[in-house]
Amino acid sequence: MAQTPQQRRANLKFAKDQEARRGKSEDQLKKRVKVATKSPISPIWLILLAFVVFGGLIFEVISRIFLR
């Protein structure tokens, strides 16, 4: 069965990764582990921002309904 272009790209990527691993110890390979990128804003600040924005929106809707 012939390879599709997508399979061919995946096989080339896998082969390239395997070639880069050859001759290296486990310690050197563990250093290659990618670190997940952190958000520049902490979750506490995101929650506070959401509270201010949505709290203000809810207050505005309530004031328009009851305080016409």
Side-chain angles (χ1 to χ4, degrees):
M1 181 188 283
Q3 288 183 341
T4 65
Q6 184 179 10
Q7 287 173 328
R8 189 172 294 116
R9 281 191 302 269
N11 286 338
L12 288 173
K13 182 180 175 189
F14 180 78
K16 183 179 177 184
D17 184 51
Q18 291 299 311
E19 187 175 329
R21 290 171 163 255
R22 285 190 195 130
K24 294 185 179 161
S25 68
E26 287 295 322
D27 292 335
Q28 289 173 330
L29 292 176
K30 287 180 182 177
K31 290 180 183 177
R32 281 186 64 206
V33 174
K34 295 180 182 176
V35 177
T37 58
K38 289 179 63 177
S39 174
I41 301 174
S42 70
I44 294 171
W45 285 109
L46 287 174
I47 292 170
L48 182 65
L49 180 64
F51 174 76
V52 169
V53 171
F54 293 114
L57 180 67
I58 291 170
F59 179 74
E60 185 67 29
V61 168
I62 290 172
S63 67
R64 285 184 186 241
I65 291 173
F66 293 112
L67 301 175
R68 282 189 169 195

PDB file of all heavy atoms in Angstrom, residues 5 7 12 15 20 23-24 28 30 32 39 41 44 47 53-54 59 61-62:
ATOM      1  N   PRO A   5       0.793  11.502   1.535  1.00  0.00           N
ATOM      2  CA  PRO A   5       1.744  12.567   1.884  1.00  0.00           C
ATOM      3  C   PRO A   5       1.795  12.847   3.390  1.00  0.00           C
ATOM      4  O   PRO A   5       2.862  13.120   3.937  1.00  0.00           O
ATOM      5  CB  PRO A   5       1.216  13.777   1.118  1.00  0.00           C
ATOM      6  CG  PRO A   5       0.492  13.192  -0.049  1.00  0.00           C
ATOM      7  CD  PRO A   5      -0.111  11.921   0.461  1.00  0.00           C
ATOM      8  N   GLN A   7       1.285  10.627   5.823  1.00  0.00           N
ATOM      9  CA  GLN A   7       2.053   9.546   6.442  1.00  0.00           C
ATOM     10  C   GLN A   7       3.542   9.713   6.166  1.00  0.00           C
ATOM     11  O   GLN A   7       4.370   9.484   7.037  1.00  0.00           O
ATOM     12  CB  GLN A   7       1.586   8.199   5.902  1.00  0.00           C
ATOM     13  CG  GLN A   7       0.237   7.759   6.400  1.00  0.00           C
ATOM     14  CD  GLN A   7      -0.220   6.493   5.694  1.00  0.00           C
ATOM     15  OE1 GLN A   7       0.098   6.277   4.527  1.00  0.00           O
ATOM     16  NE2 GLN A   7      -0.986   5.674   6.404  1.00  0.00           N
ATOM     17  N   LEU A  12       8.967  10.842   8.140  1.00  0.00           N
ATOM     18  CA  LEU A  12      10.210  11.611   8.061  1.00  0.00           C
ATOM     19  C   LEU A  12      10.491  12.321   9.380  1.00  0.00           C
ATOM     20  O   LEU A  12      11.640  12.364   9.834  1.00  0.00           O
ATOM     21  CB  LEU A  12      10.145  12.624   6.916  1.00  0.00           C
ATOM     22  CG  LEU A  12      10.216  12.035   5.508  1.00  0.00           C
ATOM     23  CD1 LEU A  12       9.968  13.117   4.465  1.00  0.00           C
ATOM     24  CD2 LEU A  12      11.549  11.358   5.276  1.00  0.00           C
ATOM     25  N   ALA A  15      11.684   9.650  11.833  1.00  0.00           N
ATOM     26  CA  ALA A  15      13.045   9.232  11.518  1.00  0.00           C
ATOM     27  C   ALA A  15      14.058  10.296  11.938  1.00  0.00           C
ATOM     28  O   ALA A  15      15.138   9.975  12.460  1.00  0.00           O
ATOM     29  CB  ALA A  15      13.172   8.943  10.020  1.00  0.00           C
ATOM     30  N   ALA A  20      18.275  11.933  15.792  1.00  0.00           N
ATOM     31  CA  ALA A  20      18.803  12.884  16.767  1.00  0.00           C
ATOM     32  C   ALA A  20      19.062  12.217  18.112  1.00  0.00           C
ATOM     33  O   ALA A  20      19.923  12.653  18.869  1.00  0.00           O
ATOM     34  CB  ALA A  20      17.829  14.047  16.934  1.00  0.00           C
ATOM     35  N   GLY A  23      23.067   7.650  19.973  1.00  0.00           N
ATOM     36  CA  GLY A  23      24.348   7.919  20.605  1.00  0.00           C
ATOM     37  C   GLY A  23      24.260   8.817  21.819  1.00  0.00           C
ATOM     38  O   GLY A  23      25.286   9.241  22.340  1.00  0.00           O
ATOM     39  N   LYS A  24      23.087   9.099  22.301  1.00  0.00           N
ATOM     40  CA  LYS A  24      22.947   9.967  23.455  1.00  0.00           C
ATOM     41  C   LYS A  24      22.430   9.165  24.643  1.00  0.00           C
ATOM     42  O   LYS A  24      21.656   8.234  24.493  1.00  0.00           O
ATOM     43  CB  LYS A  24      21.985  11.123  23.149  1.00  0.00           C
ATOM     44  CG  LYS A  24      22.537  12.039  22.093  1.00  0.00           C
ATOM     45  CD  LYS A  24      21.672  13.231  21.878  1.00  0.00           C
ATOM     46  CE  LYS A  24      22.329  14.106  20.809  1.00  0.00           C
ATOM     47  NZ  LYS A  24      21.395  15.026  20.225  1.00  0.00           N
ATOM     48  N   GLN A  28      20.824  12.938  28.722  1.00  0.00           N
ATOM     49  CA  GLN A  28      20.801  13.957  27.675  1.00  0.00           C
ATOM     50  C   GLN A  28      19.432  14.030  27.012  1.00  0.00           C
ATOM     51  O   GLN A  28      18.968  15.105  26.646  1.00  0.00           O
ATOM     52  CB  GLN A  28      21.857  13.661  26.614  1.00  0.00           C
ATOM     53  CG  GLN A  28      23.274  13.880  27.101  1.00  0.00           C
ATOM     54  CD  GLN A  28      24.290  13.420  26.069  1.00  0.00           C
ATOM     55  OE1 GLN A  28      24.032  12.502  25.305  1.00  0.00           O
ATOM     56  NE2 GLN A  28      25.444  14.063  26.070  1.00  0.00           N
ATOM     57  N   LYS A  30      16.540  13.326  28.489  1.00  0.00           N
ATOM     58  CA  LYS A  30      15.576  13.903  29.419  1.00  0.00           C
ATOM     59  C   LYS A  30      15.651  15.417  29.416  1.00  0.00           C
ATOM     60  O   LYS A  30      14.666  16.088  29.673  1.00  0.00           O
ATOM     61  CB  LYS A  30      15.816  13.373  30.827  1.00  0.00           C
ATOM     62  CG  LYS A  30      15.386  11.933  30.990  1.00  0.00           C
ATOM     63  CD  LYS A  30      15.621  11.437  32.383  1.00  0.00           C
ATOM     64  CE  LYS A  30      15.232   9.980  32.497  1.00  0.00           C
ATOM     65  NZ  LYS A  30      15.521   9.441  33.817  1.00  0.00           N
ATOM     66  N   ARG A  32      15.905  17.199  26.883  1.00  0.00           N
ATOM     67  CA  ARG A  32      15.196  17.679  25.701  1.00  0.00           C
ATOM     68  C   ARG A  32      13.703  17.837  25.931  1.00  0.00           C
ATOM     69  O   ARG A  32      13.002  18.372  25.082  1.00  0.00           O
ATOM     70  CB  ARG A  32      15.374  16.693  24.543  1.00  0.00           C
ATOM     71  CG  ARG A  32      16.691  16.814  23.841  1.00  0.00           C
ATOM     72  CD  ARG A  32      16.725  15.933  22.639  1.00  0.00           C
ATOM     73  NE  ARG A  32      15.734  16.371  21.662  1.00  0.00           N
ATOM     74  CZ  ARG A  32      15.171  15.587  20.765  1.00  0.00           C
ATOM     75  NH1 ARG A  32      15.469  14.319  20.718  1.00  0.00           N
ATOM     76  NH2 ARG A  32      14.302  16.058  19.902  1.00  0.00           N
ATOM     77  N   SER A  39       1.333  30.861  31.269  1.00  0.00           N
ATOM     78  CA  SER A  39       0.575  32.054  30.930  1.00  0.00           C
ATOM     79  C   SER A  39       1.249  33.267  31.577  1.00  0.00           C
ATOM     80  O   SER A  39       1.706  33.177  32.720  1.00  0.00           O
ATOM     81  CB  SER A  39      -0.857  31.922  31.432  1.00  0.00           C
ATOM     82  OG  SER A  39      -1.563  33.116  31.226  1.00  0.00           O
ATOM     83  N   ILE A  41      -0.161  35.766  32.735  1.00  0.00           N
ATOM     84  CA  ILE A  41      -1.046  36.266  33.791  1.00  0.00           C
ATOM     85  C   ILE A  41      -1.420  35.097  34.688  1.00  0.00           C
ATOM     86  O   ILE A  41      -1.828  34.045  34.213  1.00  0.00           O
ATOM     87  CB  ILE A  41      -2.323  36.896  33.187  1.00  0.00           C
ATOM     88  CG1 ILE A  41      -1.962  38.040  32.255  1.00  0.00           C
ATOM     89  CG2 ILE A  41      -3.237  37.391  34.285  1.00  0.00           C
ATOM     90  CD1 ILE A  41      -3.143  38.616  31.515  1.00  0.00           C
ATOM     91  N   ILE A  44      -5.092  33.835  39.444  1.00  0.00           N
ATOM     92  CA  ILE A  44      -5.762  34.717  40.402  1.00  0.00           C
ATOM     93  C   ILE A  44      -6.150  36.029  39.728  1.00  0.00           C
ATOM     94  O   ILE A  44      -7.263  36.529  39.894  1.00  0.00           O
ATOM     95  CB  ILE A  44      -4.863  34.972  41.624  1.00  0.00           C
ATOM     96  CG1 ILE A  44      -4.669  33.661  42.392  1.00  0.00           C
ATOM     97  CG2 ILE A  44      -5.447  36.048  42.523  1.00  0.00           C
ATOM     98  CD1 ILE A  44      -3.653  33.723  43.485  1.00  0.00           C
ATOM     99  N   ILE A  47      -9.097  35.493  37.349  1.00  0.00           N
ATOM    100  CA  ILE A  47     -10.358  35.396  38.083  1.00  0.00           C
ATOM    101  C   ILE A  47     -10.809  36.791  38.525  1.00  0.00           C
ATOM    102  O   ILE A  47     -11.988  37.145  38.409  1.00  0.00           O
ATOM    103  CB  ILE A  47     -10.219  34.442  39.280  1.00  0.00           C
ATOM    104  CG1 ILE A  47     -10.030  33.010  38.770  1.00  0.00           C
ATOM    105  CG2 ILE A  47     -11.416  34.543  40.213  1.00  0.00           C
ATOM    106  CD1 ILE A  47      -9.636  32.025  39.835  1.00  0.00           C
ATOM    107  N   VAL A  53     -15.194  42.385  35.287  1.00  0.00           N
ATOM    108  CA  VAL A  53     -15.905  42.584  34.021  1.00  0.00           C
ATOM    109  C   VAL A  53     -17.325  42.049  34.095  1.00  0.00           C
ATOM    110  O   VAL A  53     -18.292  42.761  33.806  1.00  0.00           O
ATOM    111  CB  VAL A  53     -15.136  41.922  32.855  1.00  0.00           C
ATOM    112  CG1 VAL A  53     -15.959  41.939  31.587  1.00  0.00           C
ATOM    113  CG2 VAL A  53     -13.809  42.637  32.641  1.00  0.00           C
ATOM    114  N   PHE A  54     -17.474  40.783  34.467  1.00  0.00           N
ATOM    115  CA  PHE A  54     -18.805  40.184  34.496  1.00  0.00           C
ATOM    116  C   PHE A  54     -19.642  40.697  35.657  1.00  0.00           C
ATOM    117  O   PHE A  54     -20.863  40.789  35.547  1.00  0.00           O
ATOM    118  CB  PHE A  54     -18.717  38.653  34.513  1.00  0.00           C
ATOM    119  CG  PHE A  54     -18.167  38.093  33.242  1.00  0.00           C
ATOM    120  CD1 PHE A  54     -16.946  37.438  33.223  1.00  0.00           C
ATOM    121  CD2 PHE A  54     -18.854  38.256  32.060  1.00  0.00           C
ATOM    122  CE1 PHE A  54     -16.439  36.927  32.038  1.00  0.00           C
ATOM    123  CE2 PHE A  54     -18.352  37.758  30.876  1.00  0.00           C
ATOM    124  CZ  PHE A  54     -17.142  37.088  30.866  1.00  0.00           C
ATOM    125  N   PHE A  59     -24.259  43.844  37.258  1.00  0.00           N
ATOM    126  CA  PHE A  59     -24.777  44.996  38.002  1.00  0.00           C
ATOM    127  C   PHE A  59     -25.486  45.966  37.072  1.00  0.00           C
ATOM    128  O   PHE A  59     -26.547  46.500  37.402  1.00  0.00           O
ATOM    129  CB  PHE A  59     -23.628  45.693  38.727  1.00  0.00           C
ATOM    130  CG  PHE A  59     -24.065  46.896  39.497  1.00  0.00           C
ATOM    131  CD1 PHE A  59     -24.768  46.755  40.687  1.00  0.00           C
ATOM    132  CD2 PHE A  59     -23.791  48.167  39.031  1.00  0.00           C
ATOM    133  CE1 PHE A  59     -25.183  47.865  41.391  1.00  0.00           C
ATOM    134  CE2 PHE A  59     -24.203  49.283  39.730  1.00  0.00           C
ATOM    135  CZ  PHE A  59     -24.907  49.140  40.915  1.00  0.00           C
ATOM    136  N   VAL A  61     -26.973  45.263  34.171  1.00  0.00           N
ATOM    137  CA  VAL A  61     -28.234  44.666  33.728  1.00  0.00           C
ATOM    138  C   VAL A  61     -29.284  44.767  34.834  1.00  0.00           C
ATOM    139  O   VAL A  61     -30.444  45.132  34.580  1.00  0.00           O
ATOM    140  CB  VAL A  61     -28.022  43.196  33.302  1.00  0.00           C
ATOM    141  CG1 VAL A  61     -29.342  42.471  33.118  1.00  0.00           C
ATOM    142  CG2 VAL A  61     -27.189  43.137  32.045  1.00  0.00           C
ATOM    143  N   ILE A  62     -28.908  44.464  36.056  1.00  0.00           N
ATOM    144  CA  ILE A  62     -29.843  44.549  37.176  1.00  0.00           C
ATOM    145  C   ILE A  62     -30.319  45.973  37.384  1.00  0.00           C
ATOM    146  O   ILE A  62     -31.507  46.238  37.592  1.00  0.00           O
ATOM    147  CB  ILE A  62     -29.199  43.974  38.469  1.00  0.00           C
ATOM    148  CG1 ILE A  62     -29.044  42.470  38.337  1.00  0.00           C
ATOM    149  CG2 ILE A  62     -30.024  44.321  39.705  1.00  0.00           C
ATOM    150  CD1 ILE A  62     -28.246  41.825  39.456  1.00  0.00           C
TER     151      ILE A  62
END
